Amino acid sequence: LGFDVRHFRDWLDHPNYDRYWEPLNLEARAREMDVPALNIGGWYDVFLRSTIGSFNTMQTEAISERARANQRLVIGPWPHGWNQRTVTGEVDFGPRSLINEEAMMLEWFDHHLKGEPLRSSAPVKLFVMGRNEWRDEQEWPLARTRYEAWYLHADGTLGPTPSALTDGSRSYVYDPRDPTPTLGGNIMRTELRGAFNQAPLDERKDLLRFLSKPLSEPMELTGPVRAILYAATDSRDTDFMAKLSVVRENGEAYNLVDGVIRARYREGFREPKLLEPGEVYEYELDLWATSYEFAAGERLRIDISSSNYPRLNRNPNTGAPFAQTTKMRSAKQTLHLSDRYPSRVVLPVISAVAN
Protein backbone atom coordinates (compact mmCIF):
# COMPACT_ATOMS: atom_id res chain seq x y z
CA LEU A 1 0.00 0.00 0.00
CA GLY A 2 3.05 2.26 -0.12
CA PHE A 3 3.89 2.15 3.58
CA ASP A 4 7.48 1.49 4.60
CA VAL A 5 7.00 -1.43 7.02
CA ARG A 6 10.45 -2.01 8.46
CA HIS A 7 9.81 -5.40 10.07
CA PHE A 8 8.44 -6.74 6.78
CA ARG A 9 11.63 -5.62 5.03
CA ASP A 10 13.61 -7.34 7.79
CA TRP A 11 11.74 -10.59 7.14
CA LEU A 12 12.58 -10.42 3.44
CA ASP A 13 16.23 -9.79 4.29
CA HIS A 14 16.36 -12.91 6.49
CA PRO A 15 14.84 -15.85 4.55
CA ASN A 16 17.03 -18.37 6.42
CA TYR A 17 16.95 -19.24 10.12
CA ASP A 18 19.68 -17.04 11.57
CA ARG A 19 20.46 -14.74 14.51
CA TYR A 20 17.57 -12.47 13.55
CA TRP A 21 15.03 -15.25 14.17
CA GLU A 22 16.67 -17.04 17.11
CA PRO A 23 15.43 -14.71 19.90
CA LEU A 24 11.91 -14.78 18.39
CA ASN A 25 11.72 -18.58 18.61
CA LEU A 26 9.98 -18.99 21.96
CA GLU A 27 10.07 -22.80 21.87
CA ALA A 28 13.86 -22.61 21.85
CA ARG A 29 13.64 -20.42 24.99
CA ALA A 30 11.52 -22.77 27.10
CA ARG A 31 14.38 -23.11 29.61
CA GLU A 32 13.75 -19.47 30.54
CA MET A 33 10.08 -20.04 31.38
CA ASP A 34 8.48 -20.97 34.68
CA VAL A 35 4.71 -20.87 34.26
CA PRO A 36 1.82 -23.33 33.84
CA ALA A 37 0.11 -22.98 30.47
CA LEU A 38 -3.25 -23.86 28.96
CA ASN A 39 -2.62 -24.34 25.22
CA ILE A 40 -5.79 -24.18 23.09
CA GLY A 41 -5.98 -24.62 19.32
CA GLY A 42 -7.76 -26.29 16.44
CA TRP A 43 -6.96 -28.98 13.88
CA TYR A 44 -7.40 -26.31 11.16
CA ASP A 45 -5.67 -23.52 13.10
CA VAL A 46 -2.79 -21.78 11.32
CA PHE A 47 -0.91 -21.92 14.65
CA LEU A 48 -1.54 -25.64 15.33
CA ARG A 49 2.10 -26.65 14.92
CA SER A 50 3.35 -24.12 17.46
CA THR A 51 0.47 -24.81 19.88
CA ILE A 52 1.51 -28.47 20.05
CA GLY A 53 5.20 -27.55 19.97
CA SER A 54 4.86 -25.21 22.95
CA PHE A 55 2.99 -27.86 24.95
CA ASN A 56 5.61 -30.55 24.31
CA THR A 57 8.63 -28.27 24.73
CA MET A 58 7.41 -26.82 28.02
CA GLN A 59 6.72 -30.31 29.36
CA THR A 60 10.33 -31.33 28.83
CA GLU A 61 12.38 -28.13 28.98
CA ALA A 62 10.65 -25.60 31.26
CA ILE A 63 12.86 -24.35 34.08
CA SER A 64 10.86 -25.89 36.97
CA GLU A 65 9.08 -29.14 37.71
CA ARG A 66 5.95 -27.08 38.53
CA ALA A 67 5.91 -25.66 35.01
CA ARG A 68 6.77 -28.97 33.34
CA ALA A 69 4.00 -30.81 35.19
CA ASN A 70 1.31 -28.19 34.59
CA GLN A 71 0.93 -27.93 30.84
CA ARG A 72 -2.45 -28.66 29.26
CA LEU A 73 -3.39 -29.08 25.59
CA VAL A 74 -6.91 -28.69 24.14
CA ILE A 75 -7.51 -29.15 20.39
CA GLY A 76 -10.91 -28.97 18.72
CA PRO A 77 -12.12 -29.15 15.10
CA TRP A 78 -11.64 -25.42 14.67
CA PRO A 79 -9.71 -22.86 12.64
CA HIS A 80 -7.96 -19.89 14.24
CA GLY A 81 -10.53 -18.02 16.29
CA TRP A 82 -11.49 -21.32 17.86
CA ASN A 83 -14.77 -22.43 19.43
CA GLN A 84 -17.00 -20.00 17.54
CA ARG A 85 -19.00 -22.24 15.15
CA THR A 86 -19.69 -25.93 14.71
CA VAL A 87 -18.96 -25.55 10.98
CA THR A 88 -15.33 -25.39 9.87
CA GLY A 89 -15.04 -24.86 6.13
CA GLU A 90 -17.84 -26.96 4.68
CA VAL A 91 -18.10 -29.59 7.45
CA ASP A 92 -20.40 -29.38 10.48
CA PHE A 93 -18.82 -31.21 13.40
CA GLY A 94 -21.96 -31.06 15.51
CA PRO A 95 -23.00 -29.32 18.74
CA ARG A 96 -20.50 -31.25 20.86
CA SER A 97 -17.63 -29.61 18.99
CA LEU A 98 -18.13 -26.42 21.01
CA ILE A 99 -17.02 -26.20 24.63
CA ASN A 100 -17.59 -23.79 27.53
CA GLU A 101 -14.17 -22.19 27.19
CA GLU A 102 -14.84 -19.46 29.78
CA ALA A 103 -15.58 -22.06 32.44
CA MET A 104 -12.51 -24.07 31.41
CA MET A 105 -10.21 -21.03 31.63
CA LEU A 106 -11.70 -19.85 34.93
CA GLU A 107 -11.20 -23.32 36.40
CA TRP A 108 -7.59 -23.27 35.20
CA PHE A 109 -6.84 -19.88 36.77
CA ASP A 110 -8.76 -20.70 39.96
CA HIS A 111 -6.59 -23.79 40.36
CA HIS A 112 -3.23 -22.13 39.76
CA LEU A 113 -3.98 -18.78 41.43
CA LYS A 114 -6.35 -19.83 44.23
CA GLY A 115 -5.50 -23.48 44.79
CA GLU A 116 -8.95 -24.78 43.90
CA PRO A 117 -9.21 -28.32 42.45
CA LEU A 118 -9.40 -29.21 38.76
CA ARG A 119 -12.34 -31.35 37.67
CA SER A 120 -10.15 -33.12 35.11
CA SER A 121 -6.47 -33.81 35.58
CA ALA A 122 -5.93 -35.13 32.03
CA PRO A 123 -3.20 -33.03 30.38
CA VAL A 124 -4.63 -33.51 26.87
CA LYS A 125 -8.20 -33.06 25.58
CA LEU A 126 -8.79 -33.86 21.90
CA PHE A 127 -11.77 -33.78 19.56
CA VAL A 128 -11.76 -36.86 17.31
CA MET A 129 -13.28 -35.81 14.00
CA GLY A 130 -15.36 -38.34 12.11
CA ARG A 131 -16.51 -39.80 15.41
CA ASN A 132 -17.13 -36.19 16.55
CA GLU A 133 -16.35 -36.84 20.20
CA TRP A 134 -14.03 -35.37 22.81
CA ARG A 135 -11.53 -37.61 24.57
CA ASP A 136 -9.06 -37.10 27.41
CA GLU A 137 -5.52 -38.37 26.94
CA GLN A 138 -2.39 -38.47 29.07
CA GLU A 139 0.27 -37.37 26.56
CA TRP A 140 1.04 -36.16 23.05
CA PRO A 141 1.70 -37.99 20.83
CA LEU A 142 -0.40 -40.80 22.30
CA ALA A 143 1.69 -43.60 23.80
CA ARG A 144 -0.36 -46.26 22.02
CA THR A 145 0.29 -44.80 18.56
CA ARG A 146 1.34 -47.31 15.89
CA TYR A 147 3.07 -45.52 13.03
CA GLU A 148 2.24 -47.17 9.71
CA ALA A 149 3.87 -46.43 6.36
CA TRP A 150 1.38 -46.29 3.49
CA TYR A 151 3.05 -46.34 0.10
CA LEU A 152 2.30 -44.33 -3.04
CA HIS A 153 2.22 -46.55 -6.13
CA ALA A 154 2.75 -45.76 -9.80
CA ASP A 155 -0.79 -46.93 -10.66
CA GLY A 156 -2.27 -44.25 -8.37
CA THR A 157 -3.06 -46.55 -5.45
CA LEU A 158 -2.16 -46.04 -1.79
CA GLY A 159 -1.69 -48.79 0.74
CA PRO A 160 0.49 -50.44 3.42
CA THR A 161 2.32 -52.71 0.96
CA PRO A 162 5.62 -51.39 -0.47
CA SER A 163 6.05 -51.14 -4.22
CA ALA A 164 7.60 -54.15 -5.96
CA LEU A 165 8.59 -52.09 -9.00
CA THR A 166 12.27 -51.57 -9.71
CA ASP A 167 11.49 -48.45 -11.70
CA GLY A 168 8.23 -46.54 -11.24
CA SER A 169 7.37 -42.85 -11.41
CA ARG A 170 4.72 -40.25 -12.22
CA SER A 171 5.24 -36.70 -13.45
CA TYR A 172 3.48 -33.35 -13.68
CA VAL A 173 4.34 -29.78 -14.63
CA TYR A 174 4.14 -27.02 -12.03
CA ASP A 175 3.68 -23.52 -13.47
CA PRO A 176 3.93 -20.76 -10.82
CA ARG A 177 1.97 -18.47 -13.16
CA ASP A 178 -1.01 -20.82 -12.64
CA PRO A 179 -0.41 -22.33 -9.19
CA THR A 180 -2.58 -25.01 -7.63
CA PRO A 181 -4.97 -22.94 -5.48
CA THR A 182 -5.57 -23.23 -1.77
CA LEU A 183 -8.78 -25.08 -0.92
CA GLY A 184 -9.07 -25.47 2.82
CA GLY A 185 -6.49 -26.13 5.49
CA ASN A 186 -4.72 -24.13 8.18
CA ILE A 187 -4.95 -20.58 6.89
CA MET A 188 -6.06 -17.23 8.32
CA ARG A 189 -8.35 -16.26 5.44
CA THR A 190 -11.88 -17.01 6.61
CA GLU A 191 -13.25 -18.12 3.24
CA LEU A 192 -10.46 -20.66 2.68
CA ARG A 193 -9.80 -22.25 6.07
CA GLY A 194 -11.07 -25.58 7.30
CA ALA A 195 -12.32 -28.76 5.63
CA PHE A 196 -13.55 -28.37 2.05
CA ASN A 197 -14.81 -30.65 -0.68
CA GLN A 198 -11.77 -30.98 -2.97
CA ALA A 199 -13.85 -31.46 -6.15
CA PRO A 200 -12.93 -28.01 -7.60
CA LEU A 201 -9.35 -29.31 -7.97
CA ASP A 202 -10.37 -32.47 -9.86
CA GLU A 203 -9.47 -31.11 -13.29
CA ARG A 204 -6.04 -29.81 -12.33
CA LYS A 205 -3.19 -31.42 -14.27
CA ASP A 206 -0.51 -30.19 -11.84
CA LEU A 207 -1.15 -32.67 -9.04
CA LEU A 208 -0.94 -36.43 -8.54
CA ARG A 209 -3.51 -38.44 -6.58
CA PHE A 210 -3.12 -41.72 -4.73
CA LEU A 211 -6.23 -43.48 -3.42
CA SER A 212 -6.57 -46.38 -0.98
CA LYS A 213 -9.11 -49.18 -1.13
CA PRO A 214 -12.27 -48.70 0.96
CA LEU A 215 -11.54 -49.53 4.58
CA SER A 216 -13.09 -52.76 5.82
CA GLU A 217 -13.33 -51.41 9.38
CA PRO A 218 -12.95 -48.06 11.14
CA MET A 219 -9.42 -46.66 11.52
CA GLU A 220 -8.42 -43.76 13.74
CA LEU A 221 -5.53 -41.47 12.92
CA THR A 222 -4.53 -39.21 15.81
CA GLY A 223 -1.11 -37.63 15.91
CA PRO A 224 1.63 -36.18 13.71
CA VAL A 225 1.58 -37.06 10.01
CA ARG A 226 4.58 -36.91 7.70
CA ALA A 227 5.42 -37.83 4.13
CA ILE A 228 8.71 -39.06 2.67
CA LEU A 229 8.95 -38.34 -1.03
CA TYR A 230 11.64 -39.18 -3.58
CA ALA A 231 11.47 -36.65 -6.36
CA ALA A 232 13.41 -34.96 -9.13
CA THR A 233 12.90 -31.67 -10.94
CA ASP A 234 14.46 -29.89 -13.89
CA SER A 235 14.91 -26.71 -11.76
CA ARG A 236 17.44 -25.47 -9.20
CA ASP A 237 14.71 -24.99 -6.60
CA THR A 238 11.03 -25.87 -6.26
CA ASP A 239 8.39 -26.92 -3.71
CA PHE A 240 6.64 -30.20 -2.98
CA MET A 241 3.29 -30.46 -1.18
CA ALA A 242 1.40 -33.44 0.24
CA LYS A 243 -2.24 -33.38 1.34
CA LEU A 244 -4.14 -36.12 3.20
CA SER A 245 -7.90 -36.26 2.63
CA VAL A 246 -10.78 -38.52 3.62
CA VAL A 247 -12.87 -39.79 0.71
CA ARG A 248 -16.40 -40.56 1.76
CA GLU A 249 -18.50 -43.37 0.33
CA ASN A 250 -20.30 -40.87 -1.94
CA GLY A 251 -16.95 -39.91 -3.50
CA GLU A 252 -16.61 -36.51 -1.82
CA ALA A 253 -13.08 -35.81 -0.54
CA TYR A 254 -12.35 -33.48 2.41
CA ASN A 255 -8.87 -32.31 3.42
CA LEU A 256 -7.43 -33.25 6.81
CA VAL A 257 -3.78 -32.14 6.84
CA ASP A 258 -1.14 -30.94 4.40
CA GLY A 259 2.53 -30.01 4.42
CA VAL A 260 5.28 -28.50 2.31
CA ILE A 261 9.01 -28.60 1.78
CA ARG A 262 10.97 -25.95 -0.09
CA ALA A 263 13.68 -27.94 -1.85
CA ARG A 264 16.54 -25.60 -0.96
CA TYR A 265 15.72 -26.16 2.73
CA ARG A 266 15.51 -29.96 2.54
CA GLU A 267 18.50 -30.25 4.94
CA GLY A 268 17.45 -27.46 7.30
CA PHE A 269 16.58 -23.78 7.34
CA ARG A 270 19.99 -22.37 8.25
CA GLU A 271 21.84 -23.05 5.00
CA PRO A 272 19.94 -23.32 1.70
CA LYS A 273 21.25 -25.80 -0.86
CA LEU A 274 20.09 -25.60 -4.46
CA LEU A 275 19.33 -28.70 -6.50
CA GLU A 276 21.07 -30.44 -9.34
CA PRO A 277 18.38 -30.69 -12.04
CA GLY A 278 17.35 -34.28 -12.75
CA GLU A 279 18.82 -35.71 -9.54
CA VAL A 280 16.54 -37.66 -7.19
CA TYR A 281 16.40 -36.28 -3.64
CA GLU A 282 14.65 -37.48 -0.50
CA TYR A 283 12.24 -34.98 1.03
CA GLU A 284 10.55 -35.25 4.43
CA LEU A 285 7.36 -33.19 4.76
CA ASP A 286 5.78 -32.30 8.09
CA LEU A 287 1.99 -32.48 7.59
CA TRP A 288 1.42 -31.28 11.16
CA ALA A 289 -1.25 -33.30 13.00
CA THR A 290 -4.86 -34.41 13.00
CA SER A 291 -7.38 -36.61 14.78
CA TYR A 292 -9.90 -38.36 12.55
CA GLU A 293 -11.70 -41.70 12.67
CA PHE A 294 -12.25 -43.10 9.18
CA ALA A 295 -15.46 -45.09 8.93
CA ALA A 296 -15.66 -48.46 7.21
CA GLY A 297 -16.10 -47.81 3.49
CA GLU A 298 -14.15 -44.53 3.52
CA ARG A 299 -10.81 -44.15 1.73
CA LEU A 300 -7.56 -42.30 2.33
CA ARG A 301 -6.18 -40.08 -0.40
CA ILE A 302 -2.83 -38.36 -0.82
CA ASP A 303 -2.47 -35.47 -3.28
CA ILE A 304 1.02 -34.39 -4.36
CA SER A 305 1.54 -30.95 -5.91
CA SER A 306 4.00 -28.06 -5.86
CA SER A 307 1.84 -25.14 -4.76
CA ASN A 308 -0.87 -24.20 -2.30
CA TYR A 309 -1.51 -20.60 -3.21
CA PRO A 310 -2.25 -18.14 -1.60
CA ARG A 311 -1.80 -19.98 1.69
CA LEU A 312 1.86 -20.49 0.82
CA ASN A 313 4.11 -18.33 -1.30
CA ARG A 314 4.61 -19.89 -4.73
CA ASN A 315 8.10 -20.93 -5.72
CA PRO A 316 9.22 -19.33 -9.02
CA ASN A 317 11.49 -22.35 -9.71
CA THR A 318 14.48 -20.19 -10.63
CA GLY A 319 16.71 -20.70 -7.60
CA ALA A 320 17.08 -16.93 -7.29
CA PRO A 321 17.47 -15.35 -3.82
CA PHE A 322 14.19 -14.99 -1.97
CA ALA A 323 12.04 -11.95 -2.88
CA GLN A 324 14.61 -10.65 -5.36
CA THR A 325 13.09 -11.68 -8.69
CA THR A 326 9.82 -11.57 -10.60
CA LYS A 327 10.96 -14.14 -13.17
CA MET A 328 9.22 -17.49 -13.20
CA ARG A 329 9.66 -20.77 -15.02
CA SER A 330 7.68 -23.99 -15.23
CA ALA A 331 9.17 -27.07 -13.59
CA LYS A 332 8.74 -30.69 -14.60
CA GLN A 333 8.38 -32.71 -11.40
CA THR A 334 8.93 -36.47 -11.25
CA LEU A 335 7.82 -38.43 -8.19
CA HIS A 336 9.63 -41.77 -7.90
CA LEU A 337 7.65 -44.78 -6.69
CA SER A 338 9.61 -48.02 -6.49
CA ASP A 339 11.38 -50.41 -4.13
CA ARG A 340 14.47 -48.20 -4.38
CA TYR A 341 12.50 -44.98 -3.91
CA PRO A 342 9.59 -45.88 -1.58
CA SER A 343 7.63 -42.62 -1.47
CA ARG A 344 5.18 -42.92 1.41
CA VAL A 345 3.12 -41.25 4.10
CA VAL A 346 3.57 -42.20 7.76
CA LEU A 347 0.24 -42.38 9.58
CA PRO A 348 -0.43 -42.33 13.37
CA VAL A 349 -2.83 -45.28 13.79
CA ILE A 350 -4.51 -45.47 17.19
CA SER A 351 -5.61 -48.67 18.84
CA ALA A 352 -8.93 -48.67 20.66
CA VAL A 353 -8.87 -47.57 24.30
CA ALA A 354 -9.03 -50.58 26.61
CA ASN A 355 -12.22 -50.83 28.66
Side-chain angles (χ1 to χ4, degrees):
L1 298 178
F3 293 98
D4 185 9
V5 183
R6 177 56 189 268
H7 65 263
F8 182 70
R9 292 181 180 272
D10 289 343
W11 297 347
L12 298 185
D13 288 339
H14 294 271
N16 309 325
Y17 186 74
D18 57 17
R19 291 182 178 179
Y20 173 82
W21 295 106
E22 286 174 353
L24 304 178
N25 181 358
L26 296 185
E27 287 182 42
R29 300 176 62 184
R31 293 177 181 87
E32 303 173 28
M33 301 181 192
D34 183 14
V35 64
L38 174 59
N39 302 272
I40 307 175
W43 296 123
Y44 294 99
D45 191 333
V46 68
F47 298 112
L48 173 64
R49 196 216 66 79
S50 53
T51 300
I52 294 174
S54 297
F55 170 77
N56 282 336
T57 304
M58 286 291 289
Q59 278 197 320
T60 58
E61 299 182 19
I63 194 170
S64 70
E65 174 58 28
R66 169 178 171 269
R68 292 192 295 270
N70 287 282
Q71 302 296 312
R72 193 176 189 208
L73 178 66
V74 178
I75 307 180
W78 312 310
H80 191 61
W82 39 265
N83 200 48
Q84 295 182 359
R85 303 172 62 218
T86 65
V87 177
T88 302
E90 295 177 335
V91 175
D92 191 335
F93 291 100
R96 285 184 292 182
S97 63
L98 300 183
I99 58 176
N100 187 341
E101 82 279 9
E102 286 189 359
M104 180 178 64
M105 289 188 284
L106 283 172
E107 180 188 5
W108 175 263
F109 284 113
D110 283 346
H111 174 70
H112 289 286
L113 299 180
K114 299 180 179 180
E116 297 183 9
L118 287 171
R119 285 191 294 271
S120 172
S121 60
V124 178
K125 185 179 186 67
L126 305 174
F127 187 87
V128 183
M129 300 180 291
R131 186 189 305 169
N132 290 351
E133 293 181 353
W134 288 95
R135 191 170 69 213
D136 287 344
E137 296 287 353
Q138 296 303 309
E139 70 283 311
W140 180 271
L142 309 191
R144 63 185 186 280
T145 307
R146 184 177 72 255
Y147 293 99
E148 291 188 5
W150 282 47
Y151 296 86
L152 285 58
H153 295 276
D155 62 357
T157 58
L158 171 69
T161 303
S163 174
L165 297 177
T166 57
D167 184 19
S169 65
R170 295 181 68 188
S171 298
Y172 62 96
V173 174
Y174 157 54
D175 183 354
R177 290 156 293 208
D178 180 25
T180 309
T182 297
L183 185 56
N186 303 59
I187 186 172
M188 290 291 285
R189 286 180 57 171
T190 305
E191 74 275 16
L192 295 177
R193 64 192 187 186
F196 282 81
N197 187 340
Q198 299 295 294
L201 302 181
D202 285 351
E203 302 304 316
R204 301 285 306 193
K205 304 299 183 185
D206 54 357
L207 57 83
L208 305 175
R209 283 184 171 164
F210 301 86
L211 185 64
S212 77
K213 295 179 180 178
L215 296 174
S216 59
E217 58 185 22
M219 181 175 73
E220 180 186 328
L221 303 183
T222 295
V225 182
R226 61 191 177 99
I228 295 92
L229 305 180
Y230 294 88
T233 180
D234 61 1
S235 301
R236 298 301 309 280
D237 187 37
T238 194
D239 292 347
F240 290 101
M241 316 273 174
K243 179 189 295 182
L244 171 65
S245 299
V246 53
V247 181
R248 297 177 177 174
E249 289 190 85
N250 63 5
E252 293 180 350
Y254 290 87
N255 56 295
L256 294 174
V257 289
D258 56 62
V260 61
I261 187 72
R262 178 145 291 188
R264 69 174 67 191
Y265 295 119
R266 64 195 179 278
E267 296 182 15
F269 292 103
R270 289 189 180 273
E271 184 179 349
K273 296 181 180 180
L274 296 179
L275 304 172
E276 288 297 327
E279 186 171 331
V280 180
Y281 294 90
E282 178 182 301
Y283 300 96
E284 181 166 341
L285 285 67
D286 179 3
L287 276 62
W288 292 12
T290 191
S291 180
Y292 188 90
E293 183 177 274
F294 289 76
E298 292 184 332
R299 302 173 183 235
L300 289 74
R301 193 177 83 191
I302 296 291
D303 292 357
I304 304 297
S305 65
S306 289
S307 56
N308 185 350
Y309 184 81
R311 180 189 168 201
L312 300 171
N313 181 38
R314 54 190 169 174
N315 195 319
N317 298 326
T318 63
F322 180 71
Q324 295 185 28
T325 182
T326 58
K327 295 181 179 179
M328 300 183 186
R329 69 180 301 274
S330 295
K332 182 179 180 181
Q333 320 288 52
T334 301
L335 182 64
H336 288 264
L337 311 153
S338 65
D339 56 356
R340 181 183 179 187
Y341 297 119
S343 294
R344 61 199 183 274
V345 60
V346 180
L347 302 172
V349 180
I350 301 300
S351 303
V353 180
N355 293 325

